[in-house]
Amino acid sequence: MDGIRALVLSGGGGRGAFHAGVYKYLMESGKQGLDSSHATAWDPQVVVGTSIGAVNGAAIAQGMPADELVGVWESLEEKDIQG
């Protein structure tokens, strides 16, 4: 029996950009150096998160493509995050 694929995203502001990059990698197909069961796109069935992880998780759960989530993070500047 296969398990449920869960993506668990931590809190901590700066980790949000890291989450996006990891999610982009997980969604790639044809990953090198992995067995065939892990080389394809890894689409989670459950997404949970705390703080910034919940923000990214909501975007992922609503179907935001990984490239778009990375683009959101790449477009941010320090003034967008800190008051």
Side-chain angles (χ1 to χ4, degrees):
M1 181 173 133
D2 289 338
I4 294 174
R5 290 182 175 192
L7 181 61
V8 181
L9 303 170
S10 61
R15 292 185 182 140
F18 178 77
H19 296 158
V22 170
Y23 182 62
K24 180 179 176 183
Y25 172 77
L26 290 172
M27 293 304 292
E28 292 175 359
S29 52
K31 296 178 203 77
Q32 300 296 312
L34 301 175
D35 74 38
S36 60
S37 65
H38 296 291
T40 60
W42 190 88
D43 196 15
Q45 297 163 300
V46 175
V47 181
V48 297
T50 297
S51 192
I52 197 60
V55 173
N56 281 341
I60 291 166
Q62 291 179 44
M64 181 181 280
D67 286 337
E68 187 176 338
L69 184 58
V70 168
V72 167
W73 279 98
E74 288 178 339
S75 72
L76 294 175
E77 297 181 15
E78 184 177 353
K79 66 179 175 61
D80 298 324
I81 299 167
Q82 296 184 356

